[in-house]
């Protein structure tokens, strides 16, 4: 890994035209460091510049959002201190998703709950993590504090392989970036059909309608993403979440404009009712139920 620290976000994103509803939640974002207080993991696959809570909350305000769900980024490994620090500075306006050592104790899980964590993330991307032990993941998934869920990040080519693992998890599942479908196939392409089959297999699987910048090679304004994802949001309106993915880990060669990402929202959720569910009532059910 290069020792150069990466910048994968814009300093001055555009101000969006779209105004999110009151109480809107950016349900997928991260913090990096600051490194002086929260060093990166020895196994980190990328080394970013600092992108701490003040920057995140400044962006939140600029984009017209009220709250954040901060997902522990792989560069911090299983030490959730940076994520917890950001939540602690949000005055109740942030909750989080942790990455844990599967051997974590019940007491440590309770401490994470107290710090605002409401789920754990299993990352199956080989470029981001060295190992993803399904047996150990399953064991910890089925002893989480009440009300928690599991976030899973995988790419579409291993969806079928992961099905028995996912089926065995008894708490709700949230799928990052819809399992990274090839959106150029359109709303009825094989990737979206496979993902719908997963959603249809049980009623407690949610998804993040996120990351046009990662999923749509046609680029901003991400027309293929809008065409593929709008029908999914329409058909599963109570199981979708939205987020910026700021500070866009590993996107340094194609940094998205956060204002443009927000302006995608009415293209995937065209009515006020869908927008309310996507950004307010759905994340509230998962993250602010208690
Ligand atoms: C994302 C996507 C990525 C990175 C991480 O934890 C992470 O480092 O999630 C990625 O590189 O695809 O959701 O932030």
């Amino acid at each position: 890994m290069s020792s150069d620290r990466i910048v994968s976000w814009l300093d001055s994103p555009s101000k969006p035209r779209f105004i999110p509803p009151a109480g809107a939640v950016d349900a997928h974002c991260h913090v990096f460091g600051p490194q002086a207080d929260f060093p990166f993991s020895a196994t980190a696959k990328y080394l970013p510049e600092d992108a701490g809570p003040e920057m995140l909350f400044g962006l939140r305000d600029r984009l017209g959002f009220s709250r954040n769900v901060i997902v522990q980024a792989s560069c911090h490994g299983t030490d959730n201190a940076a994520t917890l620090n950001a939540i602690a500075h949000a005055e109740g306006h942030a909750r989080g998703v942790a990455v844990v050592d599967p051997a974590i104790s019940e007491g440590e899980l309770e401490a994470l709950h107290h710090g605002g964590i409401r789920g754990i993330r299993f990352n199956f991307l080989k470029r981001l993590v060295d190992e993803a032990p399904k047996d150990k993941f399953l064991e910890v998934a089925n002893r989480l504090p009440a009300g928690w869920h599991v976030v899973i990040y995988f790419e579409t080519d291993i969806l079928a392989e992961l099905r028995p693992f996912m089926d065995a998890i008894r708490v709700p599942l949230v799928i990052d970036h819809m399992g990274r479908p090839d959106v150029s196939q359109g709303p009825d392409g094989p990737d979206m059909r496979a993902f719908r089959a997963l959603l249809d297999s049980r009623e407690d699987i949610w998804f993040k309608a996120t990351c046009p910048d990662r999923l749509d090679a046609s680029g901003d304004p991400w027309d293929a993403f809008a065409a593929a994802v709008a029908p999914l949001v329409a058909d599963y309106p109570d199981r979708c979440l939205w987020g910026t993915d700021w500070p866009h880990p590993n996107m340094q060669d194609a940094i998205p404009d956060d204002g443009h990402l927000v302006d995608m929202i009415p293209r995937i959720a065209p009515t006020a009712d869908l927008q309310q569910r996507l950004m307010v009532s759905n994340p509230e059910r998962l993250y602010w139920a208690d």
Side-chain angles (χ1 to χ4, degrees), residues 28-30 32 46 71-76 99 121 123 125 127-128 153 155 176-177 180 208 211 214 245-246 248-251:
H28 185 92
C29 52
H30 316 277
F32 297 152
Y46 58 95
V71 178
Q72 167 83 351
S74 62
C75 57
H76 279 295
V99 174
R121 188 190 203 201
N123 187 337
L125 268 67
R127 68 178 165 79
L128 294 174
Y153 189 22
E155 289 176 322
D176 274 345
H177 322 325
R180 299 188 62 119
K208 295 179 188 165
C211 289
R214 291 186 195 277
D245 186 40
W246 187 91
H248 314 294
N250 300 303
M251 293 299 289

Side-chain angles (χ1 to χ4, degrees), residues 57 60 70 85-94:
F57 302 147
R60 173 198 67 195
I70 304 171
N85 171 65
I87 296 170
H89 283 87
E91 297 171 346
H93 299 296

